[in-house]
Amino acid sequence: MILQGMLYDEKSSYQKGPALAPPLIREALQSGAMNMYSETGVDIEKVIAMDVGDFGITDYWDIEKITREHLNSSKKVITLGGDHSITFPIIKAYQEHYPSLDIIQFDAHADLYDIYEDDPYSHACPFARIMEHNLAVRLVQVGIRTLNTPQVEQARRFNVEIHQMKDIREVKALRFQNPLYISLDMDVFDPAFAPGVSHHEPGGMSTRQVIDWIQQLDANVVGADIVEYNPNRDFQNMTAFLSAKMLKEIAGKMVISA
Ligand code: MN
Ligand code: MN
């Protein structure tokens, strides 16, 4: 399992900042404030040992090339973002090793716009691109609370399975047939838990809820990203520490489900 960071927020529509996130997440992880075990008892020191560092990105498609190289050597990659636009090139790289891939996306937003502010690769569009290119067999979205008509239409078009925030009452133990990729947009959390995001969308998930959904997944998790942490908006590094916690829990899930 390889850990990589993408210093990239060129496709953020509202505020920049996520390009600064990866080193701060690592710093929180290694600050001594927490140990290196997931709640499920996995020692993630080995994951950290495979940290290949952060990549300054100027060409968007370099994200795909870099990820492909890392997948060739490891088969499983966790990426620290960066804004959510990075997920499309990452998943493009995954296709070679995982022609049948399922994706679960935790997000306040569906990110299914066909185009946003004239950019088809905006952080508001990655899952439209992924589905158009047939890079995912099944896309499940959890925590969504911003659906509008264009995105409802897109969700229908691509057969996206959406667990909207307004309908979430309890954790669902979702089962996936194909290898699973987890895409965690930090704005899925209520801003009270994660103030360091560009788009505050109140009414979100608690830390406990997101961890429960991940721990309950019945799937072989083969990759993940943690995106949209914006240090410029953070308070007392709360969101850096939450990102580090989620990195531990997701890495733990990848080890256990393998
Ligand atoms: Mn997103
Ligand atoms: Mn979002």
Side-chain angles (χ1 to χ4, degrees):
M1 187 186 305
I2 278 180
L3 179 65
Q4 64 179 13
M6 296 294 167
L7 309 174
Y8 189 75
D9 58 13
E10 285 304 306
K11 300 201 173 290
S12 296
S13 56
Y14 178 57
Q15 287 174 332
K16 306 292 185 208
L20 305 167
L24 295 174
I25 297 172
R26 287 198 192 77
E27 204 178 299
L29 185 67
Q30 296 178 332
S31 64
M34 56 178 89
N35 68 37
M36 289 294 182
Y37 280 73
S38 70
E39 291 183 359
T40 48
V42 175
D43 180 358
I44 67 149
E45 285 285 4
K46 291 185 200 80
V47 178
I48 306 308
M50 297 290 279
D51 188 351
V52 292
D54 296 327
F55 295 82
I57 303 294
T58 46
D59 178 352
Y60 180 61
W61 300 109
D62 281 348
I63 298 167
E64 181 184 352
K65 288 182 205 151
I66 293 164
T67 305
R68 180 168 291 121
E69 274 171 37
H70 293 152
L71 272 174
N72 285 341
S73 62
S74 150
K75 300 279 191 290
K76 291 188 179 188
V77 174
I78 300 182
T79 306
L80 303 176
D83 70 40
H84 219 157
S85 71
I86 70 170
T87 303
F88 174 52
I90 290 170
I91 296 297
K92 276 188 89 188
Y94 260 78
Q95 190 182 37
E96 216 167 286
H97 290 281
Y98 301 100
S100 297
L101 184 72
D102 291 337
I103 299 176
I104 188 165
Q105 171 196 358
F106 294 91
D107 204 324
H109 315 93
D111 295 347
L112 284 169
Y113 284 103
D114 183 46
I115 191 162
Y116 199 79
E117 292 176 345
D118 295 328
D119 186 359
Y121 303 110
S122 159
H123 74 156
C125 307
F127 293 91
R129 297 293 85 77
I130 286 167
M131 298 312 280
E132 266 170 15
H133 285 75
N134 294 313
L135 302 179
V137 178
R138 181 180 173 203
L139 172 60
V140 178
Q141 300 182 325
V142 181
I144 309 296
R145 50 194 187 275
T146 54
L147 277 186
N148 55 9
T149 304
Q151 294 201 93
V152 168
E153 285 166 3
Q154 286 283 82
R156 272 200 208 109
R157 179 180 159 208
F158 297 125
N159 216 2
V160 183
E161 192 179 321
I162 303 184
H163 299 269
Q164 284 194 71
M165 199 65 228
K166 69 181 177 64
D167 302 321
I168 290 177
R169 291 291 172 276
E170 56 196 14
V171 56
K172 286 200 173 71
L174 298 178
R175 186 162 186 281
F176 290 87
Q177 304 277 353
N178 298 301
L180 180 68
Y181 184 94
I182 300 174
S183 188
L184 174 62
D185 182 326
M186 292 300 290
D187 67 30
V188 75
F189 294 100
D190 191 274
F193 295 85
V197 296
S198 301
H199 303 264
H200 279 188
E201 192 62 46
M205 296 179 85
S206 70
T207 299
R208 192 68 255 157
Q209 274 180 306
V210 176
I211 293 172
D212 286 348
W213 276 76
I214 289 171
Q215 287 176 349
Q216 295 295 316
L217 291 171
D218 181 1
N220 173 23
V221 182
V222 295
D225 57 55
I226 299 174
V227 298
E228 295 286 342
Y229 162 42
N230 183 344
N232 294 336
R233 303 266 280 168
D234 209 3
F235 181 72
Q236 300 281 347
N237 300 326
M238 280 172 70
T239 315
F241 280 92
L242 179 53
S243 301
K245 166 92 174 173
M246 297 314 300
L247 171 58
K248 288 200 303 178
E249 297 310 317
I250 290 170
K253 184 70 186 182
M254 281 170 74
V255 170
I256 285 177
S257 68

